[in-house]
Amino acid sequence: MCSTDKIQENGYLTIYLALVFGIVLSLLFALIEGAAIGAVRAQAEIIADLGLDSVFAEYNREILNQYGLFFIDSSYGKNNGGAGIVEAHLSDYMSYNMEPEIDKSMAGKKNLLKLRNPYIEIDEIAYASDENGMVWKAQAVHYMKAIYGGDLISILQEQMDLVTGNELCTYDATQQIIQQKHEFEKALNQNTIVEYGEESSEGYSYQKVSNLFDDLVGGGLFQLVFPKGESISAAVMDSENYFSLRQKNGKINQGTGLHEGVNKPEGIVDELIYGEYLMKMYGSYANPKDMGLLSYQIEYILYGKKSDIANLKAFVERLFAMRIAANAISMAKDTMRKEEAEIIATAICTLLLVPQLAKALAALIVSMWVFAESISDVRQLFEGGKVPLIKDSSEWSTSLTRLLNGDLSGSKKSTSGLSYQDYLRIFLGLMNKNDKAARSLDIVEMDIRQTKGNERFRIDQCTDYIQVGFGFEDAKGHSFVFRRRQCYCN
């Protein structure tokens, strides 16, 4: 009886162990299968990440060297670029990790998982030119914030407020002085005064005033302000199709723009920071860029003309107009100078027997004095000096006595105030931001095309962000689909 029971018990144990072992074995196989799938997925993700890292290691070296920014030139030195070319590079990089046996230097290596990549697509790509150059600007602004404090920006903002608050960019002094002279001489003719040359006992005459007017207005502004003996760049941009023209004609690559997580440069502060980036990386008359196509690049950004000298002359004209407006404000507060002009005007008009015109002549003399002081200011800036935005009475360099005797030289260079570069900063801050961005990208194309292997470079083929959809399969037909984003992150 006992023997039979023992045999039955042993039978139950065998069946129990068989059932448990089956369950354990199934679990073990499931775990092995899961581990294998996990290993394949992990390998697929690693291959994707390594491929993206390899693609982003191919940033354009000239953009980094000249402008401190990271962008991939998707044309890789060829005529055309775009997402498809980057996809091809990415696929090539991934193939070495999926199929190590194709690399002869890796003899004996086997891909046991037989992973392959039948699907790859870039579904998002940001070009430097997207959103009117916002992608380029965002990286530039981030670069400046990383290396640079905000004190200069706050000072520059105060200076711009002073310019706009006093309307220093809207004053047309030349036409005003011409009108004043015309009206004064019309009044002389009405009083039958035709002889202007007779001098007062102090040596002043209306003939001297008239000749001075001709020297100031008709003598050629650029010749009056530009230092003698200084050379001017003769660089001229060629007729190639640069970015701003292609943008105008709608012939640029369009990407997805700024991606999520990037701070969009907005507001006056970021615009001023971008202006400071331009001042740091681009050339100007005061700090020309020798390796660029144009030397006076900031002046090109401001005015967009085809030669350095044309852009420089445009800047001189605008700078001169601003200095006239600023000096007119200074003169309006200077009672002593206005009284000096009135004394001389009274002497001249008494000699001409038209004392009633003394006030009109005094206004003309004051305008010419402001005009001459502004010429002196611009000349000082070109010579490396500094000029305050709005001067006080002690900062004027042109005396009326010297002026009426034909001496337009002014006094020695000032070391206080704003430099040539500071005035460029102000004008950059005041200009249209879309024109600024487009022309700054023109300069990038001009400069990069001067370097070997980049003769066909286009900024709208350069990217700093892509999102890629990947599809992998292993030897057993398991599919793995996922997305990856890569950028030169902020």
Side-chain angles (χ1 to χ4, degrees):
M1 187 73 176
C2 293
S3 176
T4 305
D5 291 341
K6 186 174 181 181
I7 293 171
Q8 289 177 341
E9 289 175 1
N10 289 338
Y12 288 134
L13 181 61
T14 301
I15 294 171
Y16 172 76
L17 290 175
L19 291 173
V20 169
F21 184 73
I23 294 171
V24 171
L25 194 60
S26 298
L27 177 61
L28 181 61
F29 285 149
L31 291 175
I32 292 172
E33 178 73 7
I37 293 173
V40 175
R41 174 176 286 279
Q43 186 185 33
E45 292 178 351
I46 290 171
I47 288 171
D49 291 340
L50 287 173
L52 286 171
D53 288 343
S54 299
V55 167
F56 274 74
E58 294 184 302
Y59 54 84
N60 186 285
R61 269 55 174 178
E62 287 298 331
I63 294 179
L64 178 63
N65 292 339
Q66 295 192 44
Y67 296 98
L69 305 182
F70 288 91
F71 282 92
I72 302 165
D73 178 4
S74 67
S75 75
Y76 298 92
K78 303 298 191 298
N79 283 329
N80 299 309
I85 309 298
V86 180
E87 283 176 11
H89 274 246
L90 177 57
S91 180
D92 287 343
Y93 282 123
M94 292 194 306
S95 66
Y96 284 98
N97 293 301
M98 287 187 296
E99 304 173 59
E101 62 269 18
I102 69 174
D103 188 346
K104 302 301 182 183
S105 65
M106 300 178 66
K109 302 296 181 180
K110 297 295 182 181
N111 181 9
L112 299 178
L113 299 176
K114 300 297 181 182
L115 192 66
R116 64 189 189 91
N117 172 227
Y119 171 78
I120 178 174
E121 181 182 12
I122 294 177
D123 48 34
E124 289 185 9
I125 185 168
Y127 294 112
S129 56
D130 284 353
E131 300 182 46
N132 293 316
M134 191 63 70
V135 173
W136 173 273
K137 185 185 291 187
Q139 201 179 137
V141 169
H142 175 71
Y143 166 85
M144 292 300 291
K145 287 180 177 178
I147 66 171
Y148 173 87
D151 291 343
L152 180 59
I153 298 303
S154 61
I155 294 171
L156 180 56
Q157 192 165 0
E158 290 174 6
Q159 293 165 349
M160 287 178 54
D161 291 343
L162 187 60
V163 169
T164 55
N166 289 282
E167 299 181 345
L168 299 186
C169 290
T170 59
Y171 191 80
D172 188 354
T174 304
Q175 290 303 313
Q176 178 179 328
I177 193 173
I178 290 172
Q179 184 63 28
Q180 284 178 312
K181 185 172 187 289
H182 174 75
E183 290 177 357
F184 182 78
E185 291 183 352
K186 181 179 178 181
L188 288 180
N189 291 333
Q190 289 173 348
N191 286 273
T192 67
I193 306 298
V194 294
E195 177 54 54
Y196 302 155
E198 189 175 350
E199 293 186 356
S200 68
S201 58
E202 294 84 5
Y204 301 126
S205 69
Y206 182 69
Q207 187 64 54
K208 283 188 174 181
V209 173
S210 182
N211 290 341
L212 174 62
F213 171 87
D214 293 338
D215 290 340
L216 293 174
V217 178
L221 176 60
F222 197 73
Q223 286 71 26
L224 289 172
V225 302
F226 196 77
K228 293 182 179 179
E230 289 289 326
S231 61
I232 303 176
S233 168
V236 178
M237 63 179 286
D238 53 31
S239 58
E240 285 196 55
N241 194 6
Y242 292 109
F243 172 75
S244 59
L245 181 59
R246 296 198 311 276
Q247 183 188 48
K248 183 178 179 180
N249 294 333
K251 295 181 179 180
I252 60 172
N253 286 338
Q254 297 285 353
T256 52
L258 289 173
H259 63 277
E260 183 181 353
V262 175
N263 294 323
K264 186 173 184 178
E266 293 182 306
I268 186 63
V269 172
D270 282 346
E271 201 60 37
L272 294 180
I273 291 174
Y274 184 60
E276 195 57 30
Y277 170 80
L278 298 179
M279 293 298 300
K280 178 179 176 65
M281 297 296 182
Y282 292 60
S284 67
Y285 170 78
N287 184 29
K289 187 173 182 179
D290 296 331
M291 65 186 301
L293 178 60
L294 294 178
S295 296
Y296 310 156
Q297 298 175 332
I298 299 295
E299 289 86 345
Y300 170 81
I301 292 171
L302 287 170
Y303 304 107
K305 300 184 183 297
K306 291 186 177 181
S307 68
D308 275 338
I309 190 168
N311 288 309
L312 190 60
K313 285 183 175 179
F315 177 65
V316 166
E317 291 171 1
R318 190 173 180 197
L319 178 61
F320 179 67
M322 176 185 281
R323 289 308 316 150
I324 285 182
N327 287 332
I329 292 173
S330 176
M331 177 65 83
K333 301 175 182 178
D334 196 330
T335 305
M336 187 177 297
R337 279 193 172 81
K338 289 192 289 186
E339 287 178 352
E340 186 179 352
E342 289 170 1
I343 290 170
I344 292 174
T346 299
I348 292 174
C349 288
T350 300
L351 185 68
L352 294 174
L353 303 178
V354 283
Q356 70 274 17
L357 298 181
K359 187 174 182 179
L361 181 57
L364 175 60
I365 291 174
V366 164
S367 295
M368 293 168 64
W369 197 353
V370 168
F371 206 91
E373 180 69 12
S374 302
I375 289 174
S376 176
D377 290 346
V378 177
R379 184 184 292 146
Q380 284 194 43
L381 292 171
F382 269 88
E383 292 174 349
K386 295 184 177 182
V387 177
L389 264 178
I390 297 181
K391 301 179 178 181
D392 60 34
S393 58
S394 65
E395 293 172 315
W396 277 56
S397 62
T398 306
S399 74
L400 185 54
T401 302
R402 282 204 322 271
L403 178 63
L404 292 176
N405 286 321
D407 183 0
L408 302 178
S409 60
S411 63
K412 64 180 181 180
K413 261 189 330 189
S414 172
T415 56
S416 63
L418 305 182
S419 66
Y420 183 98
Q421 298 286 75
D422 292 329
Y423 280 94
L424 285 178
R425 287 182 172 95
I426 291 172
F427 288 132
L428 281 174
L430 294 171
M431 78 174 294
N432 179 279
K433 64 181 182 180
N434 289 334
D435 289 342
K436 184 194 309 181
R439 291 173 188 164
S440 69
L441 296 183
D442 283 351
I443 293 292
V444 175
E445 290 191 339
M446 292 180 203
D447 288 357
I448 301 300
R449 288 180 189 178
Q450 306 303 304
T451 60
K452 185 177 180 180
N454 292 295
E455 293 81 4
R456 291 164 286 191
F457 175 84
R458 284 176 45 173
I459 194 65
D460 58 308
Q461 295 180 156
C462 295
T463 180
D464 71 344
Y465 162 80
I466 57 175
Q467 177 175 284
V468 188
F470 294 96
F472 289 88
E473 288 183 355
D474 66 6
K476 293 185 177 181
H478 297 119
S479 296
F480 307 92
V481 178
F482 55 88
R483 278 185 168 80
R484 283 288 190 271
R485 301 169 67 188
Q486 186 89 327
C487 65
Y488 300 111
C489 294
N490 285 0

